[in-house]
Amino acid sequence: LKCSADVVLQRIAHNAGGDRTRRTDDQPAAIERTLKIYRERTAPLVDFFRDNGAQLVQLGVTPTSTAEQMWCRLQATMPAVD
């Protein structure tokens, strides 16, 4: 999933997934720390796998995307299985 830091913050502010009630990790300092860890440790894996021949699918996430919408979009990218 491809989601900018701004979209992450918008999703948290609007409780886009409906699961954000009373979450201690939604404090600004915790969010920034989590995004920093993602940029440093996780994001580089995309290039690693691509450089090593893995077929990757990136789906853009909006502030209002739902899990169901993302699942449908992902399924639409998958080849049909006989």
Side-chain angles (χ1 to χ4, degrees):
L1 300 175
K2 190 168 181 80
C3 187
S4 70
D6 289 337
V7 170
V8 169
L9 295 173
Q10 290 175 38
R11 290 181 63 78
I12 291 170
H14 292 95
N15 194 17
D19 62 348
R20 308 239 55 100
T21 304
R22 294 187 214 110
R23 294 210 24 187
T24 58
D25 58 344
D26 283 350
Q27 299 301 315
I31 295 167
E32 184 54 41
R33 184 174 50 253
T34 301
L35 290 172
K36 180 177 186 271
I37 291 168
Y38 171 81
R39 286 188 302 269
E40 292 173 353
R41 299 181 188 173
T42 306
L45 293 174
V46 172
D47 291 331
F48 171 82
F49 284 109
R50 185 180 296 118
D51 292 346
N52 285 281
Q55 182 180 4
L56 303 177
V57 175
Q58 289 190 348
L59 301 174
V61 178
T62 69
T64 59
S65 297
T66 66
E68 182 178 356
Q69 290 169 334
M70 299 308 296
W71 177 244
C72 289
R73 287 181 57 205
L74 178 62
Q75 287 180 311
T77 68
M78 305 303 285
V81 176
D82 294 328

